[in-house]
Amino acid sequence: MPTLRHAQLRYLSLLLGLWLVAFVLTRTALLLSHWQEAGTGASGLLTVYGVGLLYDLAYLAFAAVPLGVYLLLCPERIWTSRWHRAWLQLLLAISLYAMLFTAVAEWLFWDEFGVRFNFIAVDYLVYSDEVVNNILESYPIYPLLALLALLALVVAAALQRPLRQALDAPLLPWRGRLAAIASLTGMALGVALTVGQDFPRSSGGNAYQRELASNGPFQFFAAFRNNELDYQQFYATLPEAEVAAQLRREISEPNARFIGSDPLDIRRVIDNPGQPKALNVVLVTIESLSAKYMGSFGDTRGLTPNLDELRRQSLFFNNFYATGTRTDRGLEAITLSVPPTPGRSIVKRIGRESGFASLGQQLAAQGYDSAFLYGGRGYFDNMSAFFSGNGYRVVDQSSVDEADIHFKNAWGMADEDLYRLAIKEADNDHAASKPFFLQLMTTSNHRPYTYPEGRIDIPSGDGREGAVKYTDHAIGGFLRAARGKPWFDNTLFVFVADHTAGSAGSQDLPVASYHIPLFIYGPKLVKPHEVSMIASQIDIAPTLLGLLNLDYVSTFYGRNLLRHDAKPGRALIGNYQHLGLFDGKDLAILSPRGVVRRHDDALQLSRESQVSSDDSLVARDIAYYQGASHAYGHALLSWLPKPPASTRLSQR
């Protein structure tokens, strides 16, 4: 039988033991940084370290296979050579460096997102140019890497004695080597069959404890496989007839006619009363603008004077929520009016991200110039492919002359430059007597929080506070410039955040962390007042088309919030695993493995309880997400260039 007396297994166990120590120390450091939020009593510590050990060993079971196979198949002649011993010593030092690097990377990722590595980290590898430049501009990365290298060498030197003892031990005979390989492979297969990415994350309780109990590298590699989740396989469902009936109650409007034969097909003719209005629309999606930063919501730092004034002049929605935690989720909801189905957003489902009945496509069919303007490079988050495939003309940083970009950082041009670009595009369309729909995506309110010097009284790169104030400053300048244009009086300006600045918390879906502002501004078009109805980003598209009095065939899951017959509010919020519906007081959450929960008084005490799918709030939650997942999978969200004759629209 293979034992740790033999050289190959002693060396392998030394490396794996060091990785295990690194994982425990990383978990401890993250725990200490959020000790109070994690609620770590005796049971909490047992969860964090007990389940954590399971995850650590699961990852090491996978990691041990390739290295173990190499060590066990290495011939004795090569094993005993001087160059091979030197290589194994170097491999130990490299492994130590990788451990330290991983620990620091986990700390920085946790600081940004409040979770272990997930599919966001995978995306960061895909879009490495923006991410690397962002890291270089945000942290003293080169001194940090040098320090990690020095620490790795120091620890490697301290481990020379146990390393020599391992290398000098007798080699395992060939029969024992084959048995060891079989054991390693069997353990890896056992882990693959029993330990999944969603365990124990789907079971409720304190989200910090569950994230701390995870293993970052394990979650990172699992995310390669699980960035899309099949709703029927992983989540609670209801019979199709019940889902269809519930959905129609949720989204039906007076005079709306459902036209699909599939019970879960929500395509319907929307009849907005009145003559259509050929108004221009400028929709600005603002990076990471939490409602809590606004002075009118109680912030005392004076960061948003322009937005606070704009609130008084606009149709303002004060109980409005982002659907997700990332830019692509916000763009998906605003553009397609769909709930945040599990896994990655439709924007990034490469090869299946186009052909939808988007807001831009609807307006383009009415003769608008629908354009997506992005301050960065459109390949990031697959934006160019998504928008160009769904009725938009894409204008990004690469479309702009360098002379017109006065400041840029890792993520793209400063907001001022983007707004100047929007003014130029609007001028061109107005000169051509063409109505325009410009959908903008800003970048300045994002780490590294850099912007042109001298604009505000907070130095560039000083943190989120300065970035928010610069964002507000740029919006004020944009509106002042627009007011001098001949197209201003005929233009609706919409300002909304893509998501908040942070959504981490002790709960899976901390509702308050999804709260964002929505402004609809047009001094001669919209009467200023506030709307208190609970709503989310999926409601923007139908509300705008309602303001324009346009009839259309809708695939939208949102509602026109301005109809007098509007139903009680609700907000669809989620992350890549947990799917929620908030009714203004209580929150229903659907999680993998069919787990269903309810949070009563979600904004305050948030009392969690396990419930069944018979619960009325849960049934509404299931209807939206089961219906949307079905519609996406069965191409029921597609754009129909020529609707069937029975659904032809006649504006009046």
Side-chain angles (χ1 to χ4, degrees), residues 64 237 252 433 543 545 550 584 632:
T237 60
S252 63
S433 299
T543 301
L545 293 178
L550 293 179
Y632 175 77

Side-chain angles (χ1 to χ4, degrees), residues 47-60:
T47 297
V48 169
Y49 285 100
V51 178
L53 179 62
L54 172 64
Y55 259 117
D56 295 343
L57 294 176
Y59 173 74
L60 293 176

Side-chain angles (χ1 to χ4, degrees), residues 9 96 150 283 511 542 646:
L9 297 183
L96 288 167
L150 179 61
L283 194 167
V511 176
S646 61

